[in-house]
């Protein structure tokens, strides 16, 4: 392994520099062939007024190396600062967040000795697009976008990951009983793509009971694939029940880039004390070594790490007088791992990552897109108005454009006209559903113009389409 792989390293904030130094020492001693470029991110960059926490020149390094080993950073609260993590994930197209959550029984206290699961979280879509608007004085909206290619890519990644890593089952979690279209799409894609992986067991959970099961019976899961928000939540639940947040490593993978990190944050409460556990970042760096094809080094370091843990050499966060033999700080933990390089664990099963290709998972191409016939059949016109639904219906009926009919009025997704329930609270945010025959966008615009004249100000419109005759919209609750 003579050729060095260029990587970009950021030492981060809080405990970041301490755990990064420890990790890099271990990587070097383990024989990793790395050509390291350092960049600055986080607090000091934010303090210079750069709102996303990363300088322009840092991107050059990332685009050159395409491999990013990143320590945690401190995200400033409020004040219009953007999350660096979200910025980097989106800018580099890191669509998959992979988080192995493993119990280290009996050396780290956990209620679930057999737990060994991997969460694969979609990383770019969903509510994390951050598309939000205040439309009326009383109502804001946050738009959830789920795409077929986005869902397909993450679901395939999960199945390919399972195959490549000898995993037997993939569980999909979503909430398609409520979000029938967005989560329904994700679930459908899972069922569809799943057919190409008959060797892998497949199951589906509604996210709420799925989350409860992770907390109560995590050993029942193997690989879990889910949308961005659900994945964010369940990965914290899962890593917490393994025993310590200090033990989680994670990677963010795209078609051309990989970012490797610890699950935890910058832990300002223990920064500068030399007591942080470097394991999360080290385990992240082991994922990196496999990604760049230095699998034998990954095997050697991971086995040395296991040996250190089973020898009871523990940092404060996992130290337990009943289970541990020695309490160490960050740099002594690193020394202990280095001393064990070349040794294998005796109680844990040793790992073997093979030779590796450095090509990562090769995903099959996305399914060919078959064009569907899209027809305009109506429009939801949203409006800022206060009053009774019956009065609104009367006003609208008086100004209907030919070919348009007022189908329903809904308020926050609940039908309030015709035949609404008298108990439904009506905010100032109304949705008028118009349907019609042979509609064009011009018909919709004429209807809008009539409403403006009648002082019924619209705040937005959503066209209603059918695709190959199938409705591309939901009906209001109660309709
Ligand atoms: P945190 O993960 O930094 O800390 C939570 C608790 O776990 C603290 O008590 C901390 O001392 C402990 N802890 C975390 N890592 C540890 C380790 N390696 N060894 C021993 N103990 C450890 O979460 P918190 O306090 O909510 O966030 C602190 C800062 O980190 C915030 O500014 C947050 O925005 C940021 N953060 C950054 C992340 C990243 O850069 N990837 C991820 C999560 C949070
Ligand atoms: Mg999170």
């Amino acid at each position: 392994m003579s050729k060095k792989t260029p990587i970009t390293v950021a030492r981060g904030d809080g405990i970041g520099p301490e755990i990064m130094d420890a990790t890099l020492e271990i990587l070097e001693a383990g024989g990793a062939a790395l050509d390291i470029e350092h960049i600055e991110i986080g607090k000091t960059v934010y303090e210079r007024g750069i709102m996303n926490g990363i300088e322009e020149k840092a991107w050059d390094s990332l685009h050159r190396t395409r491999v990013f080993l990143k320590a945690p950073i401190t995200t400033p609260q409020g004040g219009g600062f953007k999350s660096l993590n979200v910025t980097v994930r989106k800018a580099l197209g890191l669509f998959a967040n992979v988080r192995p959550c493993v119990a280290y029984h009996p050396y780290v206290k956990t209620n679930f000795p057999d737990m060994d699961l991997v969460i694969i979280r979609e990383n770019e879509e969903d509510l994390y697009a951050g598309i939000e608007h205040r439309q009326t004085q009383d109502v804001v909206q946050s738009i959830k976008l789920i795409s077929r290619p986005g869902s397909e890519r993450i679901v395939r990644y999960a199945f390919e990951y399972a195959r490549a890593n000898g995993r037997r089952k993939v569980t999909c979690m979503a909430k398609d009983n409520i979000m029938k279209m967005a989560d329904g799409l994700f679930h459908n894609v899972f069922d569809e793509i799943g057919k190409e992986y008959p060797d892998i067991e497949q199951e589906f959970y509604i996210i709420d009971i799925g989350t409860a099961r992770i907390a109560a019976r995590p050993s029942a899961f193997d690989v879990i694939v889910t949308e961005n928000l659900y994945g964010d939540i369940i990965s914290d639940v899962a890593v917490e029940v393994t025993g310590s947040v200090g033990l989680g490593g994670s990677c963010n993978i795209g078609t051309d880039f990989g970012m490797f990190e610890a699950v935890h944050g910058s832990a300002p409460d223990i920064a500068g004390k030399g007591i942080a556990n470097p394991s999360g970042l080290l385990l992240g760096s082991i994922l990196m070594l496999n990604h760049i094809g230095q699998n034998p080094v990954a095997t050697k370091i991971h086995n040395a790490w296991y040996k250190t843990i089973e020898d009871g050499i523990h940092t404060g966060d996992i130290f337990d007088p009943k289970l541990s033999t020695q309490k160490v700080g960050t740099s002594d933990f690193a020394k202990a791992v280095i001393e064990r390089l070349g040794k294998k664990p005796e109680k844990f099963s040793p790992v073997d990552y093979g030779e590796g290709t450095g090509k990562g998972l090769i995903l099959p191409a996305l399914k060919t897109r078959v064009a569907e016939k899209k027809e305009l059949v109506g429009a939801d016109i949203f409006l800022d108005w206060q009053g009774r639904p019956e009065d609104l219906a009367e006003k609208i009926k008086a100004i209907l454009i030919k070919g348009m009919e007022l189908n329903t009025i809904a308020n926050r997704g609940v039908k309030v006209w015709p035949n609404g329930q008298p108990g439904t609270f009506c905010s100032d945010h109304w949705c008028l559903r118009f349907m019609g025959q042979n509609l064009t966008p011009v018909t919709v615009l004429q209807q809008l113009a009539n409403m403006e004249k009648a002082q019924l100000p619209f705040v937005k419109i959503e066209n209603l389409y059918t695709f190959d005759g199938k409705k591309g919209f939901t009906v209001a609750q109660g309709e």
Side-chain angles (χ1 to χ4, degrees):
M1 203 180 304
S2 51
K3 201 164 156 285
K4 287 187 172 182
T5 309
I7 68 165
T8 303
V9 165
R11 295 169 81 238
D13 302 319
I15 58 170
E18 303 160 44
I19 59 174
M20 184 59 86
D21 288 347
T23 298
L24 293 179
E25 251 174 66
I26 297 168
L27 290 179
E28 194 184 344
L34 303 172
D35 189 358
I36 295 173
E37 299 183 7
H38 284 275
I39 60 166
E40 208 187 333
I41 55 165
K43 197 160 175 281
T44 51
V45 180
Y46 282 116
E47 279 168 2
R48 271 181 244 139
I50 296 166
M51 300 310 273
N52 61 8
I54 178 162
E55 282 188 309
E56 277 307 312
K57 63 174 189 244
W59 293 112
D60 299 341
S61 170
L62 289 170
H63 285 285
R64 204 165 35 241
T65 66
R66 293 159 183 261
V67 180
F68 188 15
L69 181 61
K70 174 181 154 294
I73 61 149
T74 303
T75 318
Q77 302 276 318
F81 292 105
K82 291 247 180 223
S83 157
L84 173 86
N85 288 322
V86 176
T87 306
V88 172
R89 278 180 205 148
K90 289 200 169 172
L92 303 184
L94 304 172
F95 66 85
N97 181 206
V98 181
R99 287 187 171 188
C101 303
V102 187
Y104 299 104
H105 178 80
Y107 305 98
V108 178
K109 201 162 175 252
T110 171
N111 293 327
F112 308 106
D114 302 326
M115 174 172 183
D116 178 4
L117 61 84
V118 181
I119 293 172
I120 298 191
R121 162 187 171 193
E122 197 288 318
N123 227 358
E124 293 183 303
E125 304 196 332
D126 196 353
L127 287 158
Y128 287 55
I131 307 169
E132 303 198 292
H133 310 92
R134 182 170 174 186
Q135 294 188 318
T136 64
Q137 185 168 323
D138 293 343
V139 176
V140 293
Q141 72 169 5
S142 184
I143 294 181
K144 169 165 175 162
L145 290 178
I146 299 289
S147 76
R148 174 170 276 275
S151 304
E152 197 182 314
R153 206 154 53 155
I154 193 71
V155 164
R156 271 201 194 283
Y157 187 90
F159 280 115
E160 292 290 332
Y161 180 96
R163 251 186 203 166
N165 292 279
R167 301 253 171 191
R168 65 196 155 77
K169 181 168 83 173
V170 178
T171 307
C172 174
M173 294 190 190
K175 195 153 179 88
D176 58 339
N177 54 331
I178 301 296
M179 279 154 281
K180 297 200 162 68
M181 295 190 66
D183 288 23
L185 174 61
F186 195 82
H187 187 173
N188 283 344
V189 167
F190 176 75
D191 289 344
E192 234 173 83
I193 301 295
K195 293 201 178 77
E196 295 173 35
Y197 299 85
D199 49 318
I200 310 253
E201 197 189 322
Q202 302 165 23
E203 65 181 6
F204 178 84
Y205 275 91
I206 301 281
I207 185 69
D208 18 4
I209 188 63
T211 310
R213 290 275 159 85
I214 295 173
R217 260 175 282 158
S219 335
F221 295 102
D222 197 349
V223 174
I224 300 174
V225 65
T226 190
E227 293 167 23
N228 206 341
L229 175 62
Y230 309 140
D232 193 357
I233 298 168
I234 65 171
S235 52
D236 275 23
V237 173
V239 79
E240 185 72 18
V241 301
T242 63
S244 167
V245 64
L247 294 174
S250 115
C251 65
N252 295 270
I253 297 290
T255 26
D256 295 320
F257 288 90
M259 175 169 94
F260 304 85
E261 60 184 344
V263 165
H264 60 75
S266 59
D269 52 333
I270 57 164
K273 297 189 177 149
I275 59 171
N277 189 347
S279 299
L281 187 61
L282 182 68
L283 294 174
S285 76
I286 289 169
L287 297 172
M288 176 189 78
L289 290 172
N290 285 326
H291 176 81
I292 61 179
Q294 298 191 20
N295 298 40
V297 186
T299 302
K300 187 168 158 192
I301 293 176
H302 206 165
N303 282 330
W305 179 83
Y306 269 119
K307 181 88 177 91
T308 311
I309 296 293
E310 70 175 29
D311 284 349
I313 301 174
H314 295 166
T315 44
D317 56 317
I318 56 169
F319 182 82
D320 179 334
K322 287 195 240 66
L323 305 173
S324 315
T325 55
Q326 202 186 335
K327 187 176 190 170
V328 290
T330 315
S331 89
D332 283 337
F333 182 84
K335 281 200 195 96
V337 175
I338 291 169
E339 277 163 23
R340 287 165 180 76
L341 286 166
K343 292 193 181 147
K344 287 198 172 143
E346 284 149 39
K347 320 267 176 32
F348 290 119
S349 319
V351 296
D352 182 355
Y353 294 114
E355 279 309 309
T357 60
K359 294 203 180 87
L361 289 182
I362 311 283
L363 298 189
L366 291 176
K367 286 200 159 169
T368 321
R369 187 170 182 270
V370 182
E372 294 172 46
K373 183 158 183 258
K374 179 178 173 188
E375 271 179 290
L376 183 68
V377 295
D380 279 349
I381 300 181
F382 291 80
L383 105 150
D384 184 345
W385 188 78
Q386 282 177 288
R388 295 190 325 134
E390 299 74 28
D391 298 340
L392 182 56
E394 285 316 307
K395 282 174 188 282
I396 296 291
K397 278 196 208 156
I399 53 167
L400 272 180
I401 286 286
K402 193 165 170 285
M404 281 283 226
E405 111 197 22
L406 180 63
N407 178 264
T408 44
I409 301 179
N411 195 294
R412 293 175 306 149
V414 181
K415 189 192 79 169
V416 292
W417 182 93
N419 311 320
Q421 295 289 338
T424 306
F425 171 76
C426 289
S427 72
D428 56 0
H429 188 266
W430 302 81
C431 174
L432 307 172
R433 174 158 292 182
F434 295 91
M435 304 298 283
Q437 302 287 321
N438 307 319
L439 284 188
T440 68
V442 176
T443 337
V444 178
L445 288 175
Q446 286 169 339
Q447 185 61 51
L448 284 177
N450 274 7
M451 288 171 55
E452 280 300 300
K453 267 189 250 152
Q455 284 168 5
L456 295 166
F458 79 98
V459 292
K460 89 165 195 169
I461 90 166
E462 292 282 355
N463 285 340
L464 305 178
Y465 299 106
T466 56
F467 293 82
D468 282 350
K470 277 192 231 129
K471 268 190 195 166
F473 46 91
T474 55
V475 296
Q477 295 287 337
E479 195 177 321

